[in-house]
């Protein structure tokens, strides 16, 4: 009886009703919500049994793969639309943790929170947003990848809240000018524009002007990769951070903090 939807679908609601198979309605209680990823986890209040869908591996989804979107566009009830994956790793400016799958399957108002299926019948995304100058479907829809969503969903079910990793740095894009001055051959990584007092980064000796090249063995291709990778890393984990300083790379080790209990989070 666990139901996954978008936080914006249920935010501010006094009563939440879930319709199953278009005819039976149930009351639900909220297990947990996360506005930062726009995910909400609900539980149907009944002893009835339901057949759940399975989450697939969204990292295996490729541009050009066929997908099906299911939702409730304009209140018409269960509606299926087909399309392909148009792009991966999209950032549209809704939150700091974006990594959307873009699809041209028709997504309209009311589709939010619905599943995006691959051809194996596995959920690889949660339909969340559209780009539409007119307000209607323009063939550009966005879904939260199932792998990213699963981490948040598991935490909400287990704890009723999220537990994201926290490094404690303010970052900027590495431009060609910054890379040239730093002696880097390519414009990758995240430039550290500031370090929070008392943060894991400060305790590890990281400084303003450092460029983070790798975090916990994962290469930081662009600045926006870092917040998502840090957030997905387990709180309390001992991680290594590869940074570029004084025209050479060095390794710093640190114990990752928790974003939700940090000063940085309380400022948001």
């Amino acid at each position: 009886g666990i139901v996954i939807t978008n936080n914006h679908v249920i935010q501010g609601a006094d009563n939440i009703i879930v319709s199953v198979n278009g005819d039976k309605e149930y009351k639900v209680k909220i297990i947990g919500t996360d506005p930062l990823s726009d995910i909400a986890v609900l539980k149907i209040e009944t002893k009835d049994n339901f057949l759940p869908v399975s989450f697939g591996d969204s990292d295996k989804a490729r541009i050009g793969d066929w997908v099906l979107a299911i939702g409730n566009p304009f209140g018409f009830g269960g509606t299926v639309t087909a399309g392909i994956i148009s792009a991966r790793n999209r950032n549209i400016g809704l939150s700091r943790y974006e990594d959307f799958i873009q699809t041209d399957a028709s997504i309209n108002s009311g589709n939010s929170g619905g599943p995006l299926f691959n051809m194996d019948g596995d959920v690889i995304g949660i339909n969340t947003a559209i780009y539409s100058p007119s307000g209607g479907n323009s063939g550009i829809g966005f879904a939260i990848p199932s792998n990213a969503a699963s981490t948040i969903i598991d935490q909400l079910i287990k704890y009723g809240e999220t537990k994201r990793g926290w490094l404690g740095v303010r970052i900027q894009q590495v431009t060609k000018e910054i890379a040239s001055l730093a002696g880097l051959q390519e414009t990758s990584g995240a430039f550290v524009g500031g370090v929070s007092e008392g943060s894991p980064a400060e305790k590890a000796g990281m400084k303003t002007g450092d460029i983070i090249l790798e975090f916990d063995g994962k290469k930081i291709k662009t600045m926006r990769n870092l917040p998502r990778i840090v957030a997905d890393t387990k709180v309390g984990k001992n991680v290594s951070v590869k940074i570029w300083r004084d025209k050479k790379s060095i390794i710093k080790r640190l114990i990752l903090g928790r974003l939700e209990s940090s000063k940085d989070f309380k400022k948001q």
Side-chain angles (χ1 to χ4, degrees), residues 87-93 95-101 171-174 188-191 212 219-232:
R88 295 288 311 274
N89 310 115
R90 285 294 197 215
N91 185 318
I92 60 175
S95 77
R96 70 160 78 177
Y97 302 114
E98 294 176 6
D99 187 31
F100 289 126
I101 294 172
I171 54 174
Q172 302 169 214
Q173 188 70 32
V174 176
S188 62
F191 179 83
I212 300 172
K219 186 174 180 180
I220 307 302
K221 295 178 182 178
T222 68
M223 174 196 73
R224 68 185 184 89
N225 292 149
L226 184 64
R228 182 171 50 82
I229 291 172
V230 172
D232 289 345

Side-chain angles (χ1 to χ4, degrees), residues 72-132:
N72 182 31
F74 305 113
F76 278 115
T79 298
V80 181
T81 54
I84 61 169
I85 293 176
S86 306
R88 295 288 311 274
N89 310 115
R90 285 294 197 215
N91 185 318
I92 60 175
L94 289 180
S95 77
R96 70 160 78 177
Y97 302 114
E98 294 176 6
D99 187 31
F100 289 126
I101 294 172
Q102 182 183 325
T103 178
D104 67 351
S106 294
I107 294 176
N108 290 286
S109 178
N111 273 102
S112 289
L116 187 71
F117 286 98
N118 62 18
M119 291 297 99
D120 293 324
D122 295 326
V123 178
I124 59 165
I126 300 172
N127 301 322
T128 296
I130 60 172
Y131 176 78
S132 175

Side-chain angles (χ1 to χ4, degrees), residues 17 102 172 176 261:
I17 303 294
Q102 182 183 325
Q172 302 169 214
K176 288 182 179 180
S261 57

